[in-house]
Amino acid sequence: MAFKLLPLLALSSFHFYLIFLTSSVSLTIAGLHQNQNKHGKGHAPPATTCDSKKNPSHCKYVPPGHYYGNNIYDNGRNSVKRSLAHSHKFLNLVDSYLQSPSYYSQSTVRALQDCQLLSELNYEYFSTCFSTVNQSSSVLPYSQAEYIQTILSAILTNQFTCLDGLQTTASDPKVKDDLSVPLLNDTDLHSVSLALFVKGWVPQKKNKPSSSSKGGKNLGFHYGRLPMKMSKPARNIYEHARRHGRKLLQTLTDITSVVISDIAVVSQDGSGNFTTINDAIAAAPSKTAANSGYFLIFITGGVYEEYVNIDKNKRNLMLLGDGINRTVITGNRSVSDGWTTFNSATFAVVGQAFVAVNITVRNTAGPSKRQAVALRNGADMSVFYSCSFEGYQDTLYTHSMRQFYRECDIYGTVDFIFGNAAVVLQNCNIYPRLAMSGQFNSITAQGRTDPNQNTGISIQNAAINAADDLMSALQNGTVVKTYLGRPWKQYSRTVYLQSFMDSLIDASGWKEWDGDFALDTLYYAEYENRGPGSGTGNRVRWPGFHLINATDADNFTAANFVQSDVWLLRTGVPFLTGLI
């Protein structure tokens, strides 16, 4: 996880915004709407649309022509349209630098490549958003509103990821300076677009009641914690694939409850269709529709030393391994070796509706190499089931969009579950490891930068125990403090629900990032946890820390936080919709 950029971020609010507006005459939103109807959501006084934002002044001073409509929907459309234009302009700027990569250091080129990928996504996201708001002047259906709020939230995340990479990795000062100013200005504009969308198009949420209802059908894969053994249905799929290659499997619907369009086998001994995972991914169809089913890639047991990348065009892809510690994907990139945190990942996925089952992903850079990501996930409606993620600092990068993890093992030391997705981790094993001398462990470092983002980390029914190396050190008297999390960004949000916490968890529970940074704007909460480390009598007394009741906890269940009922059923992965 990148270091916090206090000096630069301190300038990212109104001062940079005024620089952007020096050639324009400022006017207030309120002044444009003195005579509008004060009743109804669509006619709320525009000045109130940013009351919940961290910088309300952004909404009061705008360029001529930015807001000129008669209601919030006109203003929202104009804001999104302006953000769309700026995102395209910034993408062109990044592309112009990459036309002559030999002029810059390798670390700068890597940071620019991150920005290019993220900017391409932002332009596509804004195009989708504008198409939606341009056709509607009323509150959207729940699932559609959640999706648009999700991509607008991801846009802000992408902006800060680009900025973090430039500031911490790029070594060319001119590139940093030339890109940081428009990047920060655009981020302010995009934040306004998000605020207006939430105010105008998002319905008031009505949470489903607490329940123990379960979702997911019998996928046919082995659901138990026996990673060394493949289930009979999975073996049937594998044997069928060996015999018939990538032919359409007419009988597969009799084996599993999910729809499979085609199948490929990866085997290092040459007996499958491919010997590398990336070759199989490249062969998968692009931009497939959800109703076409999953393209299934079965990865036989073995250690695959490759950097797996599933780009935005590879949708509805399912990877099935031979089991945890049998199918292993491994790499060793790190920030210390010149990579950005973003592109240090051994496994990176952006393609929508991705599913992975029975796979281990490792980053073996080690504790001394600082940030070294095993999995980076920016795929909307993505699922990891019965997988293991192994690293030290920054193991699991839940970067953006909506994600779900079930019965996974997660190993790490510093901030090893981090990012700014809307993510639920359910029934997972969390294993803090032995940190370097003088280091503490922090399980989470959530990166929410705006209160209108629908993001956060929800950890439900987890088991938090020391990994073997940490357990041995603790038993021998070594003092290593382990915390539930610390605030990476201003509006960091993390909750622990109904989880087991062993005695390694420090009594204070949570760790500050830098003095009093974010302590009054974060949202950290605990509900009905158990175990010797779950006691709340000596927890931190920050304004943003809460001991919540069932009603508040329901906000962070799979049904309410990631809309599990809308998309998780088709994956076949079991899940709990509400509280236990």
Side-chain angles (χ1 to χ4, degrees):
M1 183 196 49
F3 300 120
K4 184 162 64 70
L5 310 172
L6 284 175
L8 184 57
L9 291 182
L11 298 175
S12 68
S13 58
F14 193 47
H15 294 91
F16 267 126
Y17 207 63
L18 284 179
I19 292 172
F20 177 73
L21 301 177
T22 51
S23 61
S24 303
V25 179
S26 297
L27 56 146
T28 66
I29 298 177
L32 294 172
H33 302 272
Q34 294 176 0
N35 300 319
Q36 75 174 47
N37 188 337
K38 296 182 180 180
H39 302 287
K41 187 170 184 179
H43 298 282
T48 68
T49 61
C50 292
D51 285 351
S52 66
K53 281 179 48 56
K54 59 186 180 297
N55 292 304
S57 56
H58 291 168
C59 288
K60 294 181 181 179
Y61 295 91
V62 293
H66 191 181
Y67 302 104
Y68 54 80
N70 293 319
N71 55 51
I72 196 169
Y73 299 106
D74 288 340
N75 291 328
R77 276 187 286 272
N78 292 326
S79 182
V80 172
K81 185 176 182 180
R82 187 174 182 85
S83 286
L84 175 63
H86 277 254
S87 67
H88 189 255
K89 183 178 180 180
F90 185 76
L91 174 58
N92 287 339
L93 179 61
V94 174
D95 286 344
S96 69
Y97 278 100
L98 285 172
Q99 287 177 0
S100 304
S102 60
Y103 291 156
Y104 309 108
S105 66
Q106 186 180 55
S107 63
T108 297
V109 170
R110 287 171 176 166
L112 286 169
Q113 289 171 338
D114 287 357
C115 290
Q116 184 181 53
L117 169 62
L118 296 164
S119 298
E120 288 174 351
L121 289 171
N122 281 357
Y123 181 65
E124 291 185 13
Y125 292 160
F126 269 126
S127 298
T128 299
C129 182
F130 181 70
S131 177
T132 300
V133 300
N134 200 39
Q135 299 175 33
S136 174
S137 293
S138 62
V139 171
L140 293 171
Y142 173 72
S143 60
Q144 187 179 20
E146 285 291 341
Y147 174 63
I148 299 299
Q149 188 177 1
T150 294
I151 62 176
L152 287 171
S153 298
I155 286 166
L156 295 182
T157 302
N158 291 345
Q159 293 285 109
F160 279 100
T161 303
C162 171
L163 179 65
D164 286 346
L166 289 170
Q167 294 299 319
T168 61
T169 305
S171 59
D172 296 89
K174 187 177 186 304
V175 175
K176 294 182 184 182
D177 294 342
D178 287 353
L179 291 180
S180 293
V181 172
L183 186 61
L184 288 164
N185 289 334
D186 288 354
T187 300
D188 286 338
L189 289 173
H190 303 341
S191 187
V192 172
S193 293
L194 172 60
L196 292 170
F197 177 80
V198 170
K199 189 69 176 179
W201 281 270
V202 176
Q204 185 176 359
K205 293 183 179 179
K206 295 182 179 179
N207 289 344
K208 298 183 179 182
S210 176
S211 69
S212 59
S213 60
K214 296 180 180 180
K217 303 174 183 178
N218 186 353
L219 186 65
F221 304 143
H222 181 60
Y223 283 171
R225 304 300 293 166
L226 296 172
M228 301 303 290
K229 181 180 179 182
M230 189 195 304
S231 68
K232 183 177 179 180
R235 175 63 64 184
N236 289 342
I237 296 172
Y238 170 55
E239 294 298 340
H240 192 108
R242 277 187 180 277
R243 292 193 302 271
H244 300 287
R246 297 181 59 245
K247 293 181 180 179
L248 187 64
L249 300 184
Q250 301 295 333
T251 62
L252 196 58
T253 54
D254 296 329
I255 299 173
T256 73
S257 62
V258 297
V259 179
I260 304 296
S261 63
D262 207 348
I263 189 168
V265 175
V266 178
S267 183
Q268 291 176 323
D269 65 7
S271 60
N273 309 108
F274 303 95
T275 57
T276 71
I277 300 168
N278 280 313
D279 284 346
I281 292 169
S286 296
K287 298 183 178 180
T288 56
N291 59 10
S292 298
Y294 291 101
F295 184 91
L296 175 65
I297 297 174
F298 183 81
I299 309 169
T300 64
V303 177
Y304 294 81
E305 296 181 1
E306 54 181 305
Y307 295 93
V308 175
N309 181 44
I310 300 172
D311 68 28
K312 61 186 179 181
N313 293 321
K314 299 296 181 178
R315 304 170 187 167
N316 298 291
L317 196 63
M318 180 181 286
L319 267 59
L320 170 63
D322 216 349
I324 290 176
N325 294 330
R326 286 184 60 84
T327 297
V328 179
I329 304 170
T330 184
N332 62 1
R333 290 175 178 170
S334 69
V335 167
S336 291
D337 289 334
W339 300 90
T340 63
T341 302
F342 186 79
N343 62 30
S344 70
T346 300
F347 190 117
V349 55
V350 179
Q352 182 175 290
F354 174 79
V355 180
V357 183
N358 291 350
I359 295 171
T360 291
V361 182
R362 290 178 182 153
N363 189 313
T364 61
S368 65
K369 292 288 190 175
R370 298 164 51 198
Q371 298 94 330
V373 175
L375 171 71
R376 187 193 82 228
N377 186 3
D380 194 32
M381 301 183 292
S382 55
V383 178
F384 286 81
Y385 173 57
S386 190
C387 291
S388 182
F389 311 104
E390 302 175 9
Y392 287 87
Q393 183 172 349
D394 289 6
T395 302
L396 176 56
Y397 194 173
T398 58
H399 181 260
S400 57
M401 308 300 276
R402 293 169 292 184
Q403 308 177 15
F404 182 76
Y405 298 77
R406 173 84 177 196
E407 297 176 29
C408 292
D409 299 337
I410 309 160
Y411 296 81
T413 54
V414 180
D415 306 335
F416 63 96
I417 304 173
F418 76 111
N420 195 25
V423 54
V424 172
L425 298 103
Q426 201 172 86
N427 294 25
C428 291
N429 296 308
I430 298 174
Y431 294 111
R433 305 176 83 167
L434 180 61
M436 292 190 299
S437 178
Q439 274 189 336
F440 57 84
N441 287 331
S442 176
I443 295 173
T444 66
Q446 206 280 328
R448 190 163 167 252
T449 60
D450 190 296
N452 286 306
Q453 289 177 308
N454 59 352
T455 56
I457 297 172
S458 176
I459 298 175
Q460 183 184 17
N461 198 31
I464 306 172
N465 294 284
D468 290 344
D469 58 352
L470 178 58
M471 178 62 72
S472 178
L474 294 174
Q475 290 174 343
N476 290 327
T478 302
V479 176
V480 180
K481 292 193 173 185
T482 298
Y483 301 93
L484 298 174
R486 59 181 186 145
W488 180 25
K489 301 291 184 182
Q490 188 78 46
Y491 294 90
S492 183
R493 182 161 65 173
T494 302
V495 299
Y496 285 82
L497 311 176
Q498 303 171 313
S499 293
F500 172 82
M501 302 176 181
D502 208 353
S503 57
L504 75 161
I505 300 299
D506 189 81
S508 63
W510 306 81
K511 177 73 173 175
E512 70 280 355
W513 183 277
D514 184 8
D516 61 357
F517 170 74
L519 301 188
D520 58 348
T521 52
L522 60 78
Y523 184 92
Y524 288 166
E526 298 181 46
Y527 172 73
E528 283 193 353
N529 297 305
R530 61 194 184 278
S534 66
T536 57
N538 293 313
R539 287 297 197 248
V540 294
R541 295 292 185 264
W542 303 340
F545 172 71
H546 308 275
L547 299 176
I548 57 177
N549 57 26
T551 300
D552 292 331
D554 264 334
N555 292 321
F556 301 99
T557 57
N560 292 317
F561 199 52
V562 295
Q563 301 79 55
S564 59
D565 292 351
V566 176
W567 58 275
L568 262 176
L569 281 171
R570 69 179 290 263
T571 69
V573 170
F575 64 95
L576 192 67
T577 60
L579 298 171
I580 298 171

